[in-house]
Amino acid sequence: MAKKIKPGGKVKSVDVITATEAADTSKAGIWKKIDEFRKTVGPGDQALIYVSSHGAVDDQSHDFFMIPRDTDPSNLPGTAIKWKDFIEKLTSEQDGLDCRALALVIDACNSGGSTKFNLGEQSTESRTATTRSVKDTSLILVTSSKDDEPSQLLSDQSRSAFTEVFLKALNGGLPLVSKYGYVWLDRMQ
């Protein structure tokens, strides 16, 4: 996906940091990549973090977890990345991103569970997308599925249907969007 995002129009430059190697997709590797990304973002920037991962909602706490390569499924709280912790890392006063706008796009099963978190006095709960302001940064959160459903693959199982649509949208091939803001995959050409 990184190769598909190019400068143009009002976009002056694009810095891409990927986490595709095995070491990068461990819990520690993901935190390291976030720290690396944080150093490239400035106050006037608009940042996009696109997460394509496995995801799960914990049966006990109902929290959404991003599932790194080294996760123990029997111990999500101890080995996976709790989404609230991920958001707090990105938005904390001390270590967070210092940018004008942050878009988080999550392509994972149960990713709608990522929209249910509480940071201080601000809380949010939504089915598929959230917009709010944290640390003077506009935060937009877009998910590929609700909290109780899988993310969908293309019929050839080569990649996610959500990622396919997202890339088409980034490249100007906007899909048909309903008056309610839903993208209808079956109406795409």
Side-chain angles (χ1 to χ4, degrees), residues 58-98:
D58 183 62
D59 292 334
Q60 310 246 317
S61 68
H62 305 289
D63 291 323
F64 176 73
F65 287 87
M66 189 172 17
I67 311 295
R69 177 185 49 80
D70 55 348
T71 297
D72 175 356
S74 66
N75 182 14
L76 289 181
T79 61
I81 297 176
K82 186 176 182 180
W83 192 253
K84 181 181 177 190
D85 295 343
F86 190 75
I87 294 291
E88 286 176 345
K89 175 87 168 168
L90 296 173
T91 61
S92 74
E93 287 294 327
Q94 187 175 22
D95 298 322
L97 297 176
D98 187 17

Side-chain angles (χ1 to χ4, degrees), residues 13 35 37 42 52 56 59 62 73 92 123-124 131 140 162 176 183 188:
S13 68
D35 286 338
F37 180 71
S52 182
D59 292 334
H62 305 289
S92 74
S123 67
T124 180
T131 305
I140 300 169
F162 181 85
L176 183 62
V183 175
M188 289 185 60

Side-chain angles (χ1 to χ4, degrees), residues 152-169:
Q152 301 297 313
L153 293 174
L154 295 175
S155 59
D156 66 2
Q157 304 286 306
S158 63
R159 62 192 166 279
S160 156
F162 181 85
T163 294
E164 180 77 4
V165 171
F166 190 76
L167 287 173
K168 282 186 180 183

